[in-house]
């Protein structure tokens, strides 16, 4: 069909009447927001610049949250800069790691006979509250350490519950919650104490604190146990945060075996309004991989 000058002028006039929000959505700004709070991290959009530039780019693509495992190790100035950038774009801060394990040394041993590492863990938790306040973070990740081969598992469990109850007493007045992350031992973290969401449920119930919940990382759970949606349903009362990552490879949805569209549909039915950390890499390097990442989340978000 040939377009006349009159047709083109009419089309232009009509375009000028499009509401600003819709026009912004067409430009890919943060008006076109995802329905769930998916949270990229530094590196998700590495081609766009540094941390602050990546936050701005993520907001423009419709992401409404951000997470930063390393936030506690950054300077106060960097933390404040990130908090300001998130506030300016209306983005929620997800998790940061409140007490970083010594991975190479397989420490801490929170269930050990010697209580020194439990006390050091609690000191980290106290210090993390200042970080959470600067970032306006309502969740912070904790790893419950490694197994002590010299101590019976049930004794270790009792001690982990005890220390998490004490940590909960420290954190609860702030309105923040710690989320304990179960980790897989088959691929990434041999020897860790907490290995499944159901184990986290037992510890959270034992700690009996609103400040002690579970981080349900579906990449780890798929490797260790599978049965994702029934497990989420059973343990839902103690789950305080969720992370996505496909298996194998720990990359974006659609690169592995997990049916994330079904998981998203289930979360929507539960009216989940929390953050979903994008705890994974990009399967393709560069901007092509970043575009693929966004498309993968658009697809599952439409479920």
């Amino acid at each position: 069909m040939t377009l006349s000058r009159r047709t083109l002028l009419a089309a232009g006039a009509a375009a000028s009447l499009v509401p600003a929000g819709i026009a912004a959505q067409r430009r890919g700004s943060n008006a076109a927001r995802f329905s769930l709070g998916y949270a990229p991290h530094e590196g998700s959009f590495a081609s766009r610049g540094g941390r602050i530039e990546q936050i701005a780019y993520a907001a423009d693509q419709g992401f409404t949250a951000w997470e930063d495992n390393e936030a506690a190790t950054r300077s106060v100035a960097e933390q404040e800069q990130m908090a300001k950038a998130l506030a300016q774009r209306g983005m929620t801060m997800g998790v940061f790691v409140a007490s970083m394990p010594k991975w190479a040394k397989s420490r801490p041993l929170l269930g050990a006979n010697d209580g020194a590492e439990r006390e050091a863990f609690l000191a980290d938790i106290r210090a993390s509250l200042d970080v959470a306040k600067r970032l306006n973070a309502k969740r912070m990740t904790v790893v419950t350490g490694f197994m002590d081969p010299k101590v019976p598992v049930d004794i270790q469990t009792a001690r982990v519950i005890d220390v998490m109850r004490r940590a909960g007493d420290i954190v609860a007045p702030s309105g923040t919650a710690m989320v304990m992350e179960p980790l897989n031992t088959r691929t990434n973290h041999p020897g860790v104490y907490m290995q499944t969401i159901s184990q986290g449920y037992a510890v959270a119930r034992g700690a009996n604190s609103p400040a002690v919940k579970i981080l349900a990382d579906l990449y780890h759970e798929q490797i260790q146990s599978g049965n994702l949606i029934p497990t989420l349903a059973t343990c839902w009362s103690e789950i305080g945060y969720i992370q996505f990552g496909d298996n194998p490879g720990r990359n974006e949805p659609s690169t592995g075996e997990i049916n994330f569209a079904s998981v998203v549909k289930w979360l929507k039915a539960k009216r989940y309004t929390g953050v979903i950390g994008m705890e994974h890499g990009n399967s393709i390097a560069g901007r092509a991989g970043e575009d693929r990442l966004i498309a993968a989340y658009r697809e599952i978000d439409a479920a």
Side-chain angles (χ1 to χ4, degrees), residues 52-111:
I52 303 306
E53 290 78 15
Q54 290 184 52
I55 288 171
Y57 181 76
D60 285 343
Q61 307 317 305
F63 293 100
T64 59
W66 187 261
E67 70 173 25
D68 185 352
N69 282 343
E70 307 293 331
T73 68
R74 305 193 193 285
S75 69
V76 171
E78 288 177 307
Q79 293 169 12
E80 292 175 342
Q81 182 188 39
M82 181 164 62
K84 181 179 179 181
L86 294 174
Q88 287 175 338
R89 303 308 295 263
M91 297 178 79
T92 300
M93 179 65 195
V95 292
F96 66 94
V97 178
S99 182
M100 187 67 74
K102 299 177 177 64
W103 299 109
K105 297 181 179 180
S106 297
R107 307 299 285 226
L109 305 178
L110 296 183

Side-chain angles (χ1 to χ4, degrees), residues 118 122 156-167 206-207:
R118 290 190 287 277
L122 293 173
Q156 293 185 65
T157 295
R159 287 171 176 164
V160 170
I161 289 173
D162 283 346
V163 77
M164 290 309 303
R165 185 182 295 125
R166 291 174 64 192

Side-chain angles (χ1 to χ4, degrees), residues 47-258:
S47 76
R48 305 294 168 168
R51 188 181 313 116
I52 303 306
E53 290 78 15
Q54 290 184 52
I55 288 171
Y57 181 76
D60 285 343
Q61 307 317 305
F63 293 100
T64 59
W66 187 261
E67 70 173 25
D68 185 352
N69 282 343
E70 307 293 331
T73 68
R74 305 193 193 285
S75 69
V76 171
E78 288 177 307
Q79 293 169 12
E80 292 175 342
Q81 182 188 39
M82 181 164 62
K84 181 179 179 181
L86 294 174
Q88 287 175 338
R89 303 308 295 263
M91 297 178 79
T92 300
M93 179 65 195
V95 292
F96 66 94
V97 178
S99 182
M100 187 67 74
K102 299 177 177 64
W103 299 109
K105 297 181 179 180
S106 297
R107 307 299 285 226
L109 305 178
L110 296 183
N113 291 326
D114 182 350
E117 291 186 271
R118 290 190 287 277
E119 295 304 322
F121 172 80
L122 293 173
D124 285 347
I125 297 303
R126 291 185 186 95
S128 71
L129 290 177
D130 288 336
V131 179
K133 185 175 181 179
R134 287 187 206 106
L135 296 174
N136 195 29
K138 299 304 180 184
R139 297 289 185 268
M140 48 191 186
T141 303
V142 295
V143 175
T144 53
F146 289 79
M147 296 291 293
D148 187 339
K150 299 178 181 178
V151 179
V153 174
D154 291 342
I155 300 298
Q156 293 185 65
T157 295
R159 287 171 176 164
V160 170
I161 289 173
D162 283 346
V163 77
M164 290 309 303
R165 185 182 295 125
R166 291 174 64 192
D169 290 343
I170 294 168
V171 172
S174 71
T176 306
M178 298 168 292
V179 286
M180 304 176 293
E181 183 172 15
L183 303 168
N184 82 80
T185 61
R186 302 174 190 270
T187 303
N188 301 106
H189 301 291
V192 294
Y193 167 77
M194 187 173 289
Q195 303 173 14
T196 64
I197 292 173
S198 59
Q199 188 183 5
Y201 179 83
V203 173
R205 296 286 287 184
N208 192 29
S209 169
V212 179
K213 296 296 179 181
I214 307 162
L215 192 169
D217 185 319
L218 301 191
Y219 164 76
H220 289 298
E221 187 70 12
Q222 175 68 7
I223 293 172
Q224 203 73 6
S225 299
N227 201 36
L228 298 180
I229 289 176
T231 298
L232 289 172
T234 300
C235 301
W236 189 247
S237 65
E238 302 302 326
I239 291 173
Y241 195 87
I242 295 169
Q243 288 179 332
F244 282 3
D246 217 337
N247 179 65
R250 201 173 191 176
N251 288 314
E252 72 272 12
S254 80
T255 56
E257 64 189 357
I258 300 177

